[in-house]
Amino acid sequence: REDLDAAEASRLASSSSYAGLQASRRKLPAWAHVDEIIGALQDHRVVLVAGETGCGKSTQVPQYLLDALPSSRLLVTQPRRIAAVSLAQRVAQERCEA
């Protein structure tokens, strides 16, 4: 979790618009389970995350894992190419990489 917090602080310091994004990201249901998700991935090779539409499964969970466990390998699937492209663009924007 320390790496996750450090990455968040770094993006907050580098981008004036990140504070708004960070506040909205922390309102999503996935944020309440961030420690549980990271812990599960540390204990198991494969973790399946299920939740309601819009809870942050596809946009937030991968970012938590990229920040907290940089050596982890992630796979995020989407049913259609357009959804995958839109998801990638959104995540890049939220990570201040767009």
Side-chain angles (χ1 to χ4, degrees):
R1 174 75 186 250
E2 292 171 8
D3 290 335
L4 172 66
D5 292 336
E8 289 271 307
S10 173
R11 281 193 288 278
L12 193 56
S14 69
S15 173
S16 59
S17 64
Y18 188 71
L21 282 172
Q22 184 184 41
S24 63
R25 290 177 62 202
R26 290 186 178 207
K27 290 179 185 175
L28 292 170
W31 182 255
H33 301 282
V34 67
D35 292 324
E36 182 182 353
I37 294 166
I38 292 169
L41 193 62
Q42 288 173 326
D43 295 340
H44 306 284
R45 287 185 58 180
V46 176
V47 175
L48 177 66
V49 178
E52 297 292 325
T53 300
C55 73
K57 301 178 300 289
S58 298
T59 59
Q60 304 310 303
V61 172
Q63 292 183 72
Y64 303 154
L65 299 177
L66 283 172
D67 292 337
L69 305 165
S71 63
S72 60
R73 294 168 54 178
L74 309 174
L75 174 66
V76 180
T77 62
Q78 292 294 309
R80 293 176 185 80
R81 181 179 180 275
I82 190 82
V85 170
S86 296
L87 174 67
Q89 290 171 337
R90 170 143 179 196
V91 169
Q93 179 186 19
E94 289 183 4
R95 295 182 62 77
C96 301
E97 296 175 1

